[in-house]
């Protein structure tokens, strides 16, 4: 069953965590070199694969007893906040551009870039974590996919303009704060049962 509030929370957490990520910058670089719609199709398809894997992993976590599960979820959110605050948001990665600019080559390059770069990434871990926390795979999956697509779209179409207006460091701190709040709530539930 779909729950709008769970999808909205998931969207917010994943959006904030992904915005300062290297894949948003990679999408931005591909979007400046190739047709944006081609890049987006490949990137969007790769994000769907990652979300399906993350929600499946999170659903397996729900088989644990409730209190230990909340402690694990809280620890993962705490780790996510730490990783966000620790990484350098200014680092840009080089994106290898395909020589052929056809739809299949460009979208394939975007797909492979995201598929490899996002595997085991913070947002994939957070999506699994949210799936375990809420036990609502459809809402978490949809919220996560829409957040990742939104960040990809922003990165591909207008990332440079956004980064000039909103400092990446601020976005990173907001995302880490949200994850700290989620960790606190999870630990509270682990303690109070």
């Amino acid at each position: 069953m779909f729950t709008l509030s769970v999808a909205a929370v998931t969207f917010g957490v994943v959006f904030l965590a992904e915005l300062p990520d290297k894949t948003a910058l990679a999408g931005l670089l591909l979007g400046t070199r190739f047709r944006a719609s081609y890049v987006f199709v490949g990137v969007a398809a790769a994000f769907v694969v990652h979300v399906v894997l993350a929600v499946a992993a999170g659903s397996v976590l729900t088989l644990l007893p409730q209190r230990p599960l909340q402690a694990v979820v809280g620890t993962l959110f705490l780790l996510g906040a730490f990783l966000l605050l620790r990484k350098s948001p200014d680092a840009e990665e080089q994106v290898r551009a395909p020589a052929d600019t056809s739809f299949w080559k460009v979208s394939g390059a975007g797909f492979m870039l995201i598929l490899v770069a996002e595997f085991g990434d913070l947002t994939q871990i957070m999506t699994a974590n949210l799936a375990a926390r809420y036990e609502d795979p459809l809402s978490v999956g949809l919220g996560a996919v829409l957040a990742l697509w939104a960040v990809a779209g922003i990165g591909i179409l207008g990332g440079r303009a956004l980064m000039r207006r909103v400092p990446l460091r601020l976005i990173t701190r907001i995302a880490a704060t949200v994850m700290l709040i989620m960790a606190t709530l999870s630990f509270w539930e682990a303690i109070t049962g």
Side-chain angles (χ1 to χ4, degrees):
M1 182 164 185
F2 179 77
T3 309
L4 185 59
S5 60
V6 171
V9 167
T10 302
F11 181 92
V13 168
V14 172
F15 182 87
L16 288 172
E18 185 66 19
L19 201 54
D21 195 52
K22 64 189 173 300
T23 52
L25 295 173
L28 180 141
L29 292 174
L30 281 174
T32 60
R33 295 179 184 164
F34 302 104
R35 191 171 184 172
S37 59
Y38 292 5
V39 174
F40 184 78
V41 168
V43 168
F47 277 136
V48 168
V49 171
H50 278 288
V51 168
V52 167
L53 293 173
V55 168
S59 296
V60 169
L61 285 176
T62 62
L63 300 174
L64 293 173
Q66 195 60 25
R67 280 186 169 184
L69 173 63
Q70 290 306 322
V72 168
V73 168
T75 303
L76 289 173
F77 274 124
L78 198 58
L79 177 66
F82 171 76
L83 290 174
L84 268 177
L85 291 172
R86 192 190 80 170
K87 76 178 187 176
S88 170
D90 301 325
E92 277 193 37
E93 289 193 3
Q94 290 293 346
V95 177
R96 208 154 144 241
D100 183 1
T101 59
S102 70
F103 171 80
W104 292 109
K105 292 289 185 175
V106 172
S107 62
F111 179 85
M112 290 308 295
L113 174 74
I114 298 303
L115 193 66
V116 172
E118 285 290 308
F119 197 77
D121 193 56
L122 177 64
T123 51
Q124 193 174 33
I125 294 167
M126 289 302 105
T127 301
N129 206 14
L130 289 162
R133 176 173 174 69
Y134 291 114
E135 296 185 40
D136 188 353
L138 177 64
S139 302
V140 170
L142 187 60
V145 164
L146 291 176
L148 293 167
W149 287 356
V151 171
I154 289 168
I156 292 167
L157 295 176
R160 290 189 199 276
L162 175 69
M163 297 307 172
R164 274 189 244 123
R165 294 188 192 329
V166 181
L168 199 52
R169 192 169 309 290
L170 175 64
I171 294 167
T172 301
R173 287 185 179 149
I174 291 170
T177 301
V178 169
M179 287 186 196
L180 286 172
I181 291 167
M182 297 296 286
T184 303
L185 290 172
S186 296
F187 286 134
W188 177 257
E189 288 179 17
I191 292 168
T192 62

